[in-house]
Amino acid sequence: MINLIFDLDNTLYFRETAFVNAIQDVFPDVENQDISTLFEHFEHFSAVYFEHHERKLIDFATMRRLRIQATLRSCDIDISSEDAAIWQQSYKQNQYALSLTDDVVAILEWCKAEQIPIGIITNGNTAHQTQKIKNLNLERWFESHLIVISESFGVAKPNRAIFDYMHSKLPDNPTYYIGDDYEKDIVGAHEAGWHSIWLTQKQPSQCPLPDFRVTNHHDLFELLKTLK
């Protein structure tokens, strides 16, 4: 038997769809070829300003404003604080409208049928992450005590403490962490003594290497069935 712990954003669901929809809703003049790279910039600046927020240098609203302003500025587009707020509202609404893919549902149903302990460790604002979990109906599969949100816990991935806290709640099985972010998810899991599965299109080139790499949920499911 194994334990499976998941990241939330870009792992159980992909937020790129919500990002692109919000860009098209609020900034329709942004050309399609720009959108293909904008999300990568958005992910980068989200990580940068989230760290600033974790260090209490900026508040949550400022973090959200700065990340989209910096993202668009990377493509020589300047937006006001008001436009940033309008975009954030559209982005949030698009995130809350997303649903799980059939493959993710199949994975979670399989875990339930096989009685595999599963949990979530996610960085972010408690209210925001909790609302996403509710809208994705993840409480159908995940017990509340096995959902750990960084703001509520007090530290964020890759800090080992958040992994150790989750591990204290799990049976004594080999534990695999599944996530998309190399530093937060793969390095964090490695330093906690867990196995790791990197969900990404990127080729691993850094150490520590993940135990496994998959590019989509279908391949993830096929891998998990071999690990049970």
Side-chain angles (χ1 to χ4, degrees), residues 103-121:
D103 284 326
V104 170
V105 171
I107 289 170
L108 298 179
E109 285 293 322
W110 173 77
C111 290
K112 182 178 180 180
E114 297 292 332
Q115 297 185 317
I116 294 172
I118 58 174
I120 295 171
I121 301 176

Side-chain angles (χ1 to χ4, degrees), residues 6-20:
F6 296 82
D7 177 36
L8 176 60
D9 301 303
N10 290 331
T11 298
L12 284 171
Y13 83 100
F14 293 124
R15 61 182 179 182
E16 183 172 0
T17 300
F19 173 82
V20 172

